[in-house]
Amino acid sequence: MTRRLLAALALALLPLAALGVTVTTPGTVTTVVNSKLFTAPSGDNRLHGIVRDPVSGDIYVGDWNQLSVGVTPFFGPYIENKDSIRRIDQLQEVSLMTYVVAPNAMAYNAADREIYVVAGSVSCNSSAPRGAGPSLNGIVAIDPATGKSRVLAGGKPGSANGSAQQARFEEPAGIASDPGSGAFFVSEGCMNRIREVDANGDVATLAGSGQKGSNDGAGDQAQFDDPRGLAYCEHEHLLYVADSSNNEIRSIDLNGNVKTLAGAPEPGFVDGSGSAARFDEPTGVACDNAGNVYVADSENNAVRMITAAGVVTTLAGDKTPGTADGVGTAARFSTPGDLTYDPDATALYVVDWGSNKIRKVSVPAPAGSP
């Protein structure tokens, strides 16, 4: 064996730390954006939805502003709504991209490099809009380079399939995109359905009967109870849904066949396989390119991981709420709501709803990664 080959072998056997490579333990939680950057004069805002632009590396967050109420001498009382989409750049500086009333969730579309936002200003328990501003229940497309926006589908709140102008949504809560087909998927918390929207804005129901329940099945034979976060996983061509009030993570294929991946209707905080695992109001989902699914388990104040086989483990957090950075169960969250996966950093960015902070959680490298 040559001297050069021996040296190369010795180098290969060195620990990564000895080579100057930073190795982050999976489950390590750090705070990357502080709540002070999202504070309005009237108090803290509330963050809804998060997505990463893979081209720029910037992160976008939906920001529900505290409504400003006042009186003018000539026009009398007014309510000002400044709900917006905020940009977090590589220096972790926060800036305004554009205004959108009641943004709930976001997806990145690789085809046109635009950010798609589902907005819904109507509560399930009320027919009144949340606040001032144009009321849209539907999908808004935004060009991150210019901030210009357009409506892809939807309008006044309601329930109708059809063309972009005819379609109606009722409190759209989550959105995901399929890069292969150009389609979008939207969850409706109020209506317990998953809708499919093509690139032209035409809307159809993919799955869900509209009635509360937890049945698996095809199309309208399936049931949900307040479905929230969505993630499309290219590895398996499956859509994953955080079925919040069922405390389950469901999978849907492109034909609308629904199966329960993990969890059961009874809430709890248990790692395990399939229906033996327990969640408590899971809200956000994301997936990596190996088919692992990540869950913001809101009421358990934890981030969980599910393998493609349905095995659930806790990556970080514990039942006790808080804002502590740390590793695994030493870290604390305060009602984590939405998350997005960053393959470059092998990490998740999480909206910590109760603290108004953006947290970063390292995850295991997918199998086959360098």
Side-chain angles (χ1 to χ4, degrees):
M1 187 175 293
T2 66
R3 190 174 299 176
R4 180 179 296 178
L5 183 58
L6 285 171
L9 181 60
L11 186 64
L13 294 175
L14 279 174
L16 290 176
L19 298 175
V21 177
T22 301
V23 179
T24 304
T25 303
T28 300
V29 180
T30 55
T31 298
V32 294
V33 182
N34 195 287
S35 58
K36 291 181 179 179
L37 296 176
F38 295 103
T39 299
S42 56
D44 285 344
N45 297 357
R46 290 297 183 186
L47 307 181
H48 295 256
I50 185 169
V51 72
R52 178 180 176 271
D53 181 340
V55 177
S56 68
D58 293 342
I59 295 170
Y60 298 92
V61 181
D63 188 354
W64 285 34
N65 183 64
Q66 293 288 330
L67 299 180
S68 176
V69 180
V71 178
T72 63
F74 299 103
F75 299 102
Y78 72 88
I79 300 176
E80 187 177 36
N81 187 317
K82 289 188 175 180
D83 292 351
S84 63
I85 306 299
R86 311 287 288 277
R87 186 198 315 265
I88 304 168
D89 66 18
Q90 298 299 288
L91 298 176
Q92 299 175 13
E93 294 182 354
V94 179
S95 60
L96 171 71
M97 182 169 72
T98 192
Y99 292 105
V100 175
V101 175
N104 286 326
M106 285 169 281
Y108 175 81
N109 183 28
D112 57 17
R113 296 185 177 180
E114 291 190 336
I115 306 297
Y116 285 75
V117 181
V118 283
S121 58
V122 174
S123 166
C124 292
N125 300 315
S126 172
S127 60
R130 169 183 164 267
S135 178
L136 169 72
N137 274 235
I139 304 175
V140 179
I142 304 170
D143 181 352
T146 64
K148 292 183 178 180
S149 63
R150 59 186 171 86
V151 175
L152 176 66
K156 294 180 180 180
S159 178
N161 290 324
S163 68
Q165 293 79 20
Q166 295 171 334
R168 295 291 180 265
F169 298 88
E170 186 80 20
E171 200 203 21
I175 185 170
S177 66
D178 174 3
S181 68
F184 297 89
F185 305 98
V186 175
S187 61
E188 285 184 289
C190 292
M191 303 304 293
N192 301 301
R193 300 182 305 187
I194 308 301
R195 316 284 290 281
E196 183 173 2
V197 185
D198 69 17
N200 297 318
D202 295 338
V203 180
T205 298
L206 178 67
S209 66
Q211 302 298 315
K212 290 183 179 181
S214 60
N215 290 342
D216 289 344
D220 61 6
Q221 301 301 307
Q223 294 178 319
F224 302 92
D225 191 354
D226 196 15
R228 292 282 159 181
L230 293 177
Y232 180 74
C233 192
E234 290 186 80
H235 179 267
E236 297 174 303
H237 302 292
L238 288 175
L239 183 69
Y240 290 97
V241 183
D243 197 8
S244 185
S245 292
N246 273 328
N247 303 300
E248 295 173 330
I249 305 303
R250 320 285 293 277
S251 71
I252 310 175
D253 68 20
L254 298 182
N255 294 316
N257 297 302
V258 179
K259 295 181 180 179
T260 300
L261 176 66
E266 301 80 18
F269 191 12
V270 180
D271 289 344
S273 182
S275 60
R278 291 291 183 272
F279 300 92
D280 194 350
E281 293 192 24
T283 302
V285 286
C287 61
D288 62 23
N289 54 16
N292 298 307
V293 179
Y294 302 96
V295 181
D297 196 4
S298 295
E299 290 302 308
N300 280 327
N301 297 301
V303 173
R304 319 284 292 280
M305 174 178 169
I306 313 174
T307 66
V311 178
V312 180
T313 55
T314 299
L315 267 177
D318 202 351
K319 189 74 176 177
T320 306
T323 58
D325 291 344
V327 180
T329 56
R332 292 289 182 270
F333 295 93
S334 182
T335 320
D338 298 284
L339 42 76
T340 188
Y341 177 67
D342 178 357
D344 295 332
T346 320
L348 304 165
Y349 291 98
V350 183
V351 171
D352 201 19
W353 193 84
S355 69
N356 259 11
K357 295 181 178 180
I358 306 299
R359 318 287 295 281
K360 183 178 180 180
V361 183
S362 60
V363 302
S369 297

